[in-house]
Amino acid sequence: MPESQIAINHIPTREAETSTLTRRSYHTPIEPIFFTPTYCGHYICKKEYLIDRVLSGMYLILATTAGSGTLEYEGGKYQLTPGSVMLIDCKKHHRYHAEKDGWEFFYTHFEGGMSEEYVNYLAPAMPVIELPARLFVGVTEKLGQILELCDKPSAGSDEAILS
């Protein structure tokens, strides 16, 4: 489902023409008890890449693997550098952009389960964290696995694994 169809108060973004989308996948949740990815992907961005929006009912985890970006969220400004992971409530206005050509990240929008409670517990204090390399590798591996599973035609049968 294109972002313009799921967004509310959507501010136009400079996404498609300012990035290389290596892969993106969409997924329709089946079981509301699970944390379910709704869409996920991998981007390599040009410096003009910009997302400035509010989305309905979703949360976002984004892991920067190369380059740098900036997140503006809840009155704060955060650097997104290799090893950083951002976790936000997309119902709140958020803006993120590339600092220069080459910002690369994996991301997953998700909902369901206790997503709201989870994000509200973790994100308000610090929506962006820098992880030690061994933990960051685990996060990016999981985000890659989610993308792989969402690409499969049988993704619905993998709800528990995706969660």
Side-chain angles (χ1 to χ4, degrees), residues 3 10 15 20 24-25 59 63 78-79 86 88 130 147:
E3 288 175 4
H10 188 247
E15 181 176 9
T20 300
R24 182 191 298 202
S25 186
Y59 306 92
Y78 308 90
Q79 288 302 119
M86 116 181 162
I88 62 169
E130 299 290 328
L147 182 55

Side-chain angles (χ1 to χ4, degrees), residues 112-127:
M114 292 183 60
S115 298
E116 183 173 12
E117 292 82 359
Y118 186 72
V119 172
N120 286 340
Y121 178 74
L122 292 176
M126 193 174 305

